[in-house]
Amino acid sequence: MKNFVSNEIGTLRKILIHSPDSGIGKILPSKFKDWLYDDTVHLPKIRQEYDEYTRLLLHFLDPEKARYVRDFHAKNGIENRNVYKPGKSEYFDSKYVIDVQKLLGDILHSEKAKIRLVSAVCALENCNRLLQNRLENMPPIELAKVFITGLIDEKNEQKFIFPPTPNLVFTRDIGIMLKDHLLLSKSATPARMRESLIAKYIAIFHENLFNDARDKIIEISEDSDFFLEEEAFQREKIITIEGGDVMMIAPNHLIVGCSERTSKSAADGIIHRIFSLPDLEIERISIVQIPEVRAQMHIDTIFTQVRRDTWVMYGGYSKKVALQKQDIKRDYTSYFKTGDKEIRNDQMRILQFEKPTSQPYSPSENYFSKELEGLEDLLEQVSVRDFGVAKNDVKIIYSANNEFPYSEREQWTDSCNLLALKEGVVIGYDRNDKTIEQFQRTGFEIITAKKLLAELEAETRNVADMSDTLILLSSSELSRARGGSHCMSCPLHRDEVS
């Protein structure tokens, strides 16, 4: 099955994941800022919650392996996790639900890839030559684990040789499929640079996964004179890209966020690069600028698509919600700020650029088309223009129904960050009660992952028969890691939406 993604809601067929590794269980409060966490997590519990997620994915994408995992647990107990660990003989080893660590181990069997990646990681992490020699002589499976966890076995105990990669569980951010092309990330923070490096080497060297697409790898880099400029200029022009800010939303429409993690210069580079690739047939690029804040680090923490006519979004960026507040109590501060009587959302801008595929690309051409008034306008446009939905049929489910203070609380715990397994069947977190109520009012079945897994494993329910369903993952620990099911996924193949 070739890699191909042209939308966010078509039936999911192949996905890249990463199960929480031992490095995530060693995060210290003093390193929260450096390692992009806000709390410590309980490793056994977060693994238990993530295993639910993995089993769900297997039932939808690889039923044969789902049965294998079910039978393994029946024989060995649910607490035995060897079935989820690449390198263990019991590992489920699916062709459709694939762990980054498994792919990394695969490429390290190539001596060429191994030597190059060891050199690259050691340069990045400033390792000495003795350590580099030791890494070069490690078995591939063991070395893959070291690269990810930062831990090495030393006299019957584990020691850090470089920092862990606790954010690799959020595989969305290391790359994004744009149809049959792969856009690689360029990390905004030192904590994620090794992830970007690992993703790049997997894309270049993996013989099966990307062997037909090596000439379709997209990397966005700074202009050649960037490195000669002053530091202040470099800070302004640096290119950083993370996959949570990129949505291949429809076959001819790409959405790119400018956020805490994806820079304006990156958005500029993406516009030029994508419009220069006529084979992609992407004719419209929407740039969504949001504040550079931790609570909304990517645009997929603010909105995701559920069905062609249905979205979930955070009302903090809603023009509609702002107008409703004015109906209750007039806010005159906009006069003081801008002198503008119209209600505006100064925190967000949505700019659209368009170029017909038939028109040759020119770097000097102005492809700016228009600026949309608010996020709802963009979501409505996608449903109507890209998917043929009648305007009156478009539905937006707001985080916690815009109730204060729950809307912001539930957005923080990823109420708007949902992964579609197929159109209308999405995975969310069980802790976002008021958002869940809104899904129920909209006609969705609500079911916990635990209950659904019991039914699927007893074969009393078939995934093919499921529609309009919100599946609730246990999330007491997953939510502490600051990412939802959309963040924890890198789709490699989805069906096209007719």
Side-chain angles (χ1 to χ4, degrees):
M1 182 187 296
K2 291 186 176 181
N3 302 326
F4 189 88
V5 176
S6 65
N7 62 81
E8 283 271 320
I9 55 172
T11 299
L12 191 58
R13 300 295 184 184
K14 185 161 59 168
I15 191 172
L16 194 59
I17 63 168
H18 178 59
S19 180
D21 55 74
S22 54
I24 206 172
K26 293 179 170 61
I27 295 173
L28 297 168
S30 59
K31 300 295 288 185
F32 283 164
K33 184 176 181 180
D34 292 341
W35 292 348
L36 310 178
Y37 269 64
D38 298 293
D39 203 350
T40 59
V41 296
H42 183 233
L43 184 60
K45 181 61 176 174
I46 197 173
R47 282 175 163 171
Q48 180 184 335
E49 293 171 352
Y50 195 93
D51 292 349
E52 276 189 358
Y53 174 63
T54 303
R55 288 161 62 200
L56 277 174
L57 292 173
L58 289 171
H59 276 285
F60 278 82
L61 279 68
D62 197 343
E64 181 181 345
K65 293 296 184 179
R67 289 189 289 271
Y68 167 74
V69 172
R70 176 197 65 186
D71 294 344
F72 175 87
H73 283 313
K75 181 179 179 180
N76 300 283
I78 197 70
E79 67 281 352
N80 189 326
R81 297 194 68 256
N82 285 348
V83 73
Y84 303 106
K85 295 180 178 181
K88 295 290 185 180
S89 60
E90 304 95 328
Y91 178 56
F92 64 74
D93 199 13
S94 169
K95 294 179 180 179
Y96 309 109
V97 180
I98 311 167
D99 197 300
V100 174
Q101 187 173 323
K102 169 66 167 59
L103 299 180
L104 182 56
D106 289 345
I107 68 165
L108 292 173
H109 281 91
S110 160
E111 194 66 18
K112 179 180 178 181
K114 183 179 183 181
I115 295 300
R116 286 190 180 187
L117 186 52
V118 167
S119 297
V121 169
C122 286
L124 178 67
E125 303 295 351
N126 197 27
C127 301
N128 62 48
R129 182 60 193 165
L130 288 175
L131 177 57
Q132 186 167 338
N133 285 339
R134 182 175 178 181
L135 295 175
E136 288 173 351
N137 288 289
M138 274 189 178
I141 293 171
E142 184 181 347
L143 182 57
K145 187 175 179 181
V146 171
F147 277 157
I148 290 172
T149 64
L151 291 162
I152 197 166
D153 291 327
E154 190 78 53
K155 296 180 180 178
N156 298 319
E157 64 175 323
Q158 288 189 319
K159 292 187 176 180
F160 277 111
I161 56 171
F162 34 71
T165 57
N167 296 280
L168 187 56
V169 67
F170 304 122
T171 50
R172 174 74 55 161
D173 295 327
I174 62 176
I176 189 82
M177 291 302 304
L178 307 180
K179 296 187 176 177
D180 60 348
H181 287 59
L182 174 66
L183 173 63
L184 289 174
S185 71
K186 193 168 183 289
S187 176
T189 60
R192 306 201 72 173
M193 286 182 178
R194 197 159 78 248
E195 296 176 47
S196 295
L197 194 62
I198 288 169
K200 180 176 181 175
Y201 273 75
I202 289 172
I204 293 171
F205 286 103
H206 202 278
E207 293 183 357
N208 297 322
L209 198 64
F210 296 108
N211 62 346
D212 60 343
R214 290 199 180 103
D215 60 341
K216 296 180 179 180
I217 295 172
I218 300 172
E219 296 181 86
I220 309 296
S221 301
E222 292 85 2
D223 293 334
S224 59
D225 59 354
F226 169 83
F227 304 99
L228 301 178
E229 299 290 350
E230 293 181 359
E231 186 177 345
F233 178 87
Q234 288 183 338
R235 284 197 299 269
E236 183 68 23
K237 294 294 183 179
I238 193 168
I239 287 176
T240 61
I241 303 167
E242 293 190 3
D245 280 316
V246 184
M247 293 185 185
M248 189 69 249
I249 203 71
N252 72 341
H253 188 183
L254 180 68
I255 299 178
V256 179
C258 290
S259 67
E260 182 188 58
R261 303 291 180 83
T262 299
S263 65
K264 296 178 180 65
S265 294
D268 172 75
I270 289 171
I271 292 170
H272 282 283
R273 187 65 184 280
I274 296 306
F275 282 163
S276 74
L277 298 172
D279 290 348
L280 270 176
E281 298 184 336
I282 294 174
E283 299 186 315
R284 186 160 81 260
I285 300 176
S286 298
I287 305 298
V288 180
Q289 290 183 246
I290 60 175
E292 297 180 16
V293 295
R294 171 71 174 154
Q296 295 98 37
M297 68 190 81
H298 299 124
I299 59 171
D300 71 351
T301 66
I302 295 171
F303 68 93
T304 43
Q305 192 171 13
V306 177
R307 296 186 310 216
R308 67 190 71 197
D309 64 349
T310 305
W311 304 78
V312 59
M313 72 166 274
Y314 171 52
Y317 295 102
S318 167
K319 182 174 181 179
K320 176 183 174 182
V321 172
L323 289 170
Q324 289 172 345
K325 289 180 179 178
Q326 293 293 320
D327 290 339
I328 299 170
K329 180 185 176 183
R330 175 63 56 178
D331 181 1
Y332 294 108
T333 58
S334 60
Y335 288 82
F336 311 144
K337 294 176 183 176
T338 66
D340 193 344
K341 297 179 183 179
E342 184 181 355
I343 303 305
R344 307 191 330 172
N345 191 337
D346 295 324
Q347 295 179 303
M348 172 181 281
R349 293 185 72 195
I350 302 173
L351 309 173
Q352 291 194 318
F353 302 82
E354 299 197 44
K355 184 193 81 67
T357 302
S358 58
Q359 177 183 331
Y361 163 75
S362 170
S364 63
E365 185 74 24
N366 185 0
Y367 295 114
F368 176 74
S369 173
K370 58 187 169 185
E371 181 169 358
L372 301 184
E373 291 188 4
L375 184 53
E376 287 101 335
D377 293 335
L378 174 62
L379 307 187
E380 183 180 280
Q381 183 197 74
V382 172
S383 289
V384 173
R385 183 172 169 181
D386 296 329
F387 291 102
V389 175
K391 184 175 180 178
N392 291 337
D393 291 336
V394 179
K395 303 176 185 68
I396 295 179
I397 298 170
Y398 291 96
S399 176
N401 197 31
N402 288 320
E403 291 183 37
F404 179 82
Y406 307 106
S407 176
E408 188 173 341
R409 283 172 55 87
E410 295 194 2
Q411 184 277 325
W412 177 263
T413 52
D414 296 295
S415 59
C416 302
N417 190 267
L418 308 183
L419 173 69
L421 297 172
K422 60 179 183 176
E423 186 174 7
V425 179
V426 293
I427 301 177
Y429 282 163
D430 63 354
R431 63 183 296 156
N432 297 316
D433 298 332
K434 290 190 175 293
T435 307
I436 293 166
E437 289 173 8
Q438 284 305 109
F439 269 89
Q440 200 162 24
R441 292 190 187 107
T442 309
F444 281 75
E445 177 187 1
I446 310 298
I447 187 169
T448 64
K450 183 176 181 180
K451 181 179 179 183
L452 178 58
L453 285 168
E455 294 179 4
L456 292 172
E457 292 173 359
E459 300 183 5
T460 58
R461 186 188 284 245
N462 191 327
V463 297
D465 299 329
M466 294 181 64
S467 62
D468 296 346
T469 304
L470 173 59
I471 304 166
L472 303 178
L473 278 182
S474 302
S475 59
S476 65
E477 295 302 309
L478 279 174
S479 62
R480 295 178 193 273
R482 297 290 294 115
S485 60
H486 195 270
C487 291
M488 296 190 300
S489 68
C490 180
L492 299 178
H493 188 96
R494 281 189 184 274
D495 287 354
E496 297 189 62
V497 177
S498 58

